[in-house]
Amino acid sequence: SGAAIAGGVGDPYDQPKAISTVSKDEINQFGGQNLDNALRAEPGVFTHDNPQKPGVAVNIRGLDSYGRVTVASDGARQDFRFTGHDAAGMTFVDPALLSGVDITRGSTDGVGGGGALAGVANFRTLGIDDLITGGKNWGAEVSETAGTNGDGFSEMAAGAFRVNDTFAILGAVSKRNNFDYANGTGTIVQNTGQDILSGLLKTEITPSADQKITLSGLIY
């Protein structure tokens, strides 16, 4: 990771802890569509990749699911569980709407840790400060990607407006169309395409210099 970013943990070499951040640039490096590849580039981190389930299951140091790895979205724990021939739980989040992922490896206590044995993965969605920079009161971001072998097209548009020093709003929408891909022998692998529409709405209220309230809704 590079220099410290808003809301993240910054450069992992800044402190002697097993903490690192997957930045927005690193997510975009993998086409902005595949969180599995971006997370697997981090030390000690792996994922269960199942194209038939559009979620991500984070594995840290060989452990996952059942609370052994705490996965959160903007600090809110994602505790959806199921039983089957796969990971016992997945988190559903659109990579295009993320500003980064904070990874803490090892047993963690305190806020957000909840006694996790293997570590914590916190997915941070786009924030007001990610879009509004340079002293302006508004900001926007638009992206479109395309790929071969099933990657298809992906579009994202986000905008934020700061009404005053107390109130700011953000809205974003993402659309992704993936198709069934072909394996190494050229055979089409059925049921591996995805058609996903996601939205993010966020309101930031700052009543004083010492307080900030953020209300957000994420539709996947």
Side-chain angles (χ1 to χ4, degrees):
S1 303
I5 57 178
V9 296
D11 194 324
Y13 302 105
D14 284 345
Q15 50 187 328
K17 295 182 180 180
I19 299 176
S20 59
T21 289
V22 181
S23 68
K24 180 70 170 178
D25 289 340
E26 289 172 304
I27 294 175
N28 291 336
Q29 181 179 345
F30 294 96
Q33 298 188 28
N34 194 319
L35 266 180
D36 293 277
N37 288 339
L39 290 171
R40 291 178 184 184
E42 295 299 306
V45 181
F46 200 71
T47 63
H48 291 275
D49 188 2
N50 186 344
Q52 296 182 14
K53 294 179 181 178
V56 58
V58 182
N59 181 299
I60 297 179
R61 293 176 172 173
L63 295 176
D64 59 60
S65 306
Y66 303 109
R68 292 175 292 195
V69 172
T70 295
V71 182
S73 177
D74 288 334
R77 290 184 62 148
Q78 305 298 298
D79 292 324
F80 176 70
R81 298 285 181 267
F82 52 83
T83 301
H85 298 286
D86 209 329
M90 287 188 172
T91 297
F92 300 90
V93 60
D94 194 322
L97 301 181
L98 290 178
S99 62
V101 186
D102 298 330
I103 303 292
T104 303
R105 292 174 289 277
S107 179
T108 306
D109 58 8
V111 177
L117 293 175
V120 177
N122 181 45
F123 295 88
R124 289 182 286 105
T125 58
L126 290 172
I128 304 293
D129 293 334
D130 293 317
L131 298 180
I132 301 178
T133 59
K136 300 178 181 179
N137 65 346
W138 67 276
E141 177 182 344
V142 178
S143 69
E144 181 166 351
T145 62
T148 59
N149 194 15
D151 274 352
F153 294 90
S154 174
E155 305 87 24
M156 189 278 286
F161 179 67
R162 192 177 300 279
V163 179
N164 49 44
D165 293 339
T166 303
F167 187 76
I169 58 175
L170 177 150
V173 62
S174 171
K175 183 73 168 67
R176 186 163 80 249
N177 289 101
N178 293 350
F179 308 99
D180 295 346
Y181 68 84
N183 62 19
T185 64
T187 303
I188 298 296
V189 181
Q190 300 295 324
N191 301 317
T192 55
Q194 298 177 0
D195 183 2
I196 298 175
L197 177 64
S198 302
L200 173 67
L201 181 63
K202 186 171 291 188
T203 300
E204 184 180 282
I205 304 171
T206 311
S208 70
D210 300 320
Q211 295 177 315
K212 179 184 291 185
I213 301 171
T214 302
L215 305 175
S216 64
L218 183 63
I219 300 175
Y220 187 73

